[in-house]
Amino acid sequence: MNVGVAHSEVNPNTRVMNSRGMWLTYALGVGMLHIVLLSIPFFSVPVAWTLTNVIHNLGMYVFLHAVKGTPFETPDQGKARLLTHWEQLDYGVQFTSSRKFFTISPIILYFLTSFYTKYDPTHFILNTASLLTVLIPKLPQLHGVRVFGINKY
């Protein structure tokens, strides 16, 4: 019984990323994170860029690829409880506009970070490892796959 549920979606979690203004809000959030890190006096510009990239990718990994289920009471009888947010996004359809946006955005941030750190080897390795942790789980071949049983339940 779903008393007080006013949405018509089977899983409203799938529509959040397609809502109006979400992409702009996301970009502004990343920009604000970077400005806050730049305002810390003892962080150099390369360190601020690397921290922006690593914090962004860590947050993206946690919210899109690690947390499962939905924050809403859904009438789908718990089918979404075993899926990550990325797997629920656009009902699992690959290569939609929102999936493309959330795949391209860490790549663009990585290019900006690499440029502003002047391709310093230490920053480059950290940023590349950080990028790979969010790009590899987005591959269509890994949809629903749990490596070594991690995050299976």
Side-chain angles (χ1 to χ4, degrees), residues 6-132:
H7 53 77
S8 62
E9 287 292 321
V10 174
N11 183 356
N13 201 29
T14 60
R15 299 213 22 134
V16 171
M17 297 302 190
N18 290 325
S19 63
R20 189 174 187 183
M22 179 60 191
W23 294 0
L24 178 63
T25 304
Y26 174 84
L28 289 174
V30 172
M32 288 300 298
L33 170 66
H34 183 66
I35 289 171
V36 166
L37 290 172
L38 276 176
S39 67
I40 298 175
F42 53 88
F43 284 166
S44 65
V45 172
V47 169
W49 274 103
T50 298
L51 282 174
T52 301
N53 189 36
V54 170
I55 291 170
H56 166 267
N57 289 342
L58 178 67
M60 181 176 268
Y61 179 79
V62 168
F63 291 118
L64 289 182
H65 303 294
V67 176
K68 294 165 73 175
T70 177
F72 310 104
E73 181 181 347
T74 60
D76 69 353
Q77 300 300 316
K79 293 176 188 170
R81 70 182 170 83
L82 296 176
L83 298 175
T84 64
H85 192 98
W86 180 257
E87 293 164 347
Q88 295 175 43
L89 189 64
D90 296 328
Y91 299 103
V93 176
Q94 300 295 324
F95 306 115
T96 59
S97 59
S98 57
R99 282 182 180 249
K100 288 177 187 177
F101 174 78
F102 288 109
T103 302
I104 295 288
S105 58
I107 295 171
I108 292 171
L109 185 60
Y110 172 76
F111 285 147
L112 285 169
T113 302
S114 296
F115 176 76
Y116 283 108
T117 59
K118 297 181 173 70
Y119 304 98
D120 179 65
T122 305
H123 291 282
F124 191 76
I125 290 170
L126 283 171
N127 290 319
T128 302
S130 175
L131 177 70
L132 290 176

